[in-house]
Each structure stands twice: as structure tokens, then as C-alpha cells.
Amino acid sequence: MHTIKEEIRAWGERAVERYIEIAKTFETENGSAFYTQSPLDVIEDNPDLVIMGINPGSTGPFAEQIMNPNWQRIGFPKFEAFLKGNVAWESTKKVSFWTRICSILNSGGLGHLVSDDKNFVCTNITPFGTKKEKYLRSGLMRDTVQLSMDLLEILKPEIVLCLGDRPFNELCRISGATDKTSVYGSVFSYAHHGGYVIVGIHHPSSFYTNEQINLVGRCLQLVFSHHGKITADEIRKETSDSYQAYLSRKQSSTGKGIRVDLDKVTELLKNICYKYKGKEGDSTYRFRFCDSHPIAITITNSQRGYIGIRHDERKDSYQGEEFNPDEKQIREWLLNGLEDYKEENHWWATKQFSKFGDNEETIIHAIVEECKVIKEYITKGE
């Protein structure tokens, strides 16, 4: 009888052979690079939790991926390297979508499930990355989904937590689950397949109120503690107070921009950033992350409040093919490696205050923590 480690290894060898075949067929496309997320080669027992998205949110051709020093260092594209997971996994665990997953699990007393990479798996239905999921090539899901189902059959988790409607609906369709049940609309749904429960929640890259985090965490805790043998009505009964709190918070939101005390942000960022560039007017502050890379962040209360990141030394052009390789890589990471950033006018990337939270204290804390992650990425290896 094979151990789970041996089964994962055999699956990885078979999967990577197929992924390389697909990648070479479409190697001129930006979405031909592939990888999983958390390391699979450390799994020694059936994990209680598998977290599953639709596909990686970063892009690039396979030909560039195999020449990337970070991937070469671990031996990619050998299957043993694929099983080591995303080379940026530790950085991924610091971005907002992952910290929100942890908050949800902690609120349901389930934080221990993701405390050690040996005890859970984070992966995707397809390992091929695209800038946005809407850019997934037609047929790619069909070409790769059976391998993902084979992996789940090996892992035999208690719960497969799907991040967003699409992976939930796809997994239910592919697995043949016929009992899809909506507990609170797309906020929390679940279904059964074989020995595990498929759960669907809003993608954690989207904003969650504290009330929504608490509601989803409690629902997860109930499903987990009952091994999936609980009805939607029973979940609603146990979480009715959390649902009312969620509704009240949702109905009280006005959708208006949120102003923050930029002096508070400034004092905190002075301890993180290399240089405070100064104040422009009453609502705009600029910082430079480090001396070695001329990349600056602007924080402003204008236009409903946002942060913007761009080159600090160019007067007229902040975008285009004139990027050196390091600058291009950083810009791509901002847009694809972090959540809720977008290109806009002369900015490399911008993010609205509302994406950080719904009150001043939460927004300030989230901005500061995100700036720490950005600076760490920019200065890695120095």
C-alpha cells in the first residue's frame, strides 16, 4: 500500500508531464506558465482542509518561467520542483487574500488548520496563470481539471474551501455533486462529493466586513465540526445573530469614499520607507520605498482616497517598454501578486482606500502592513 507522499509524487510526475505538453503547445501565450501554491511535497497525512481557487493570478509564458532564476534554483520544470509549490509562497501568505482567509478561519476557531504547511493544501483547479480569471483560455479547464480531481482523491480532505463562485460551481459540476445548497447566497454555500464537503465563499481578495468574516467563520466551524452532516436550516439557526449583524453592517454602508488622517499614516510609514518625499496640498503625501529602487508611493484623500505607486524619477513617462527588467517584474507583481491593484493613467498601480477596509483605523493598519510587504519584495536579496 502506497503512502500519501508516494501517491502525491506519482501524481506530480504524471501531472507535470501533461502540463508541460500544454505549456509548449501554447508557449507564446502569457498564460502558459504553471505552478501550484502551497508545497505538496511536505504532506505526510490526509489534510483536513484544501483551499482551492480557479487559477493563479500571475501570468507569463512558460519559456520565460523556465529561465527565471527563482524557478531554476529549485529545478523547475522537473516534477519534484513543481511539488515544492509557488516559489513566492511565503510572500503570498502576507498579502490580503491570505490574511483574510486566516481571519475567517480564526473566527471559527479553525486557525490551526493553516498553521503549518504540512496540514493543508492551497491550490487551484488549473495551475496555469492569467492576469485575470476571465482571460483563461477556452478549454484549459477541460484539459486540466481531471488531474485536480485526482489530487483531491489522493488528499481526501474534510473540506474543500473554494474561493469565489466560479471554482465552487466548477468543482460541483465536475465532481457531479447534486446537492448544492445556498445557506446565505454566495456568501456561504456547500455541497458534498464522496467523503468531503465542497464549500463556496466570496473570494477573500474582495473586501469583507468584520461581521462577514465572523459569519463565514462560524458557518465553516459548524460544517467542519459536523463533518458536513448538517443542514442549511441548522446552520442558519445557529448563526442567525451573526447573519443579522452582517446585514445591519451591509445596509449601513453608504458607499462613499473614506477620508483618513494622513498625518497618522505618515508617522507610521516614516519607520518603514526609506525617505519621506513631502506633502503636496492638504491631502497628498509621497514616500520612497528604498534607495536602490526609484519607486515611490503616493497616499491621498482625493478621488475618494487611494494609494498610487510609480517611478519616482521620471517626469513624463511612468509606463512603457523602457522599463528595465527589475522594474517590469516589480510592476507585474504589484498588479498580479497583490490584490485589488489596477493600472491607471500614469500610475504603475493604484488601490482605493475602500479596498483596505471600511473605517479609518482598519484602512491605516492595512496600508502600513501592505507597504511592509511591498518594501520587502522590492528589496529582496539586498
Side-chain angles (χ1 to χ4, degrees), residues 20 22 26-27 54-55 60 79 82 95 138 144 153 172 201 203 217 230 263 269-270 274 312 331 357:
I20 291 175
I22 294 171
F26 299 95
E27 65 183 349
I54 195 72
N55 74 315
F79 78 88
F82 174 80
V95 301
S138 176
T144 58
E153 292 304 314
C172 288
I201 63 173
H203 198 289
I230 185 171
D263 289 328
L269 288 185
K270 282 180 178 178
Y274 160 70
D312 188 37
R331 181 167 174 263

Side-chain angles (χ1 to χ4, degrees), residues 324-353:
N324 67 44
D326 283 346
E327 291 173 357
K328 184 177 181 181
Q329 182 179 356
I330 291 169
R331 181 167 174 263
E332 286 295 314
W333 177 78
L334 289 168
L335 293 171
N336 302 317
L338 296 176
E339 304 294 340
D340 298 317
Y341 282 87
K342 62 180 182 179
E343 298 177 68
E344 188 172 9
N345 299 325
H346 53 274
W347 299 103
W348 286 13
T350 65
K351 183 171 179 176
Q352 294 289 323
F353 285 171

Side-chain angles (χ1 to χ4, degrees), residues 33 40 57 81 84 99 115 123 189 219 250 253 298 350:
L40 290 167
K84 292 183 182 297
T99 58
S115 62
T123 187
S189 304
C219 290
K250 184 177 180 181
S253 299
T298 295
T350 65

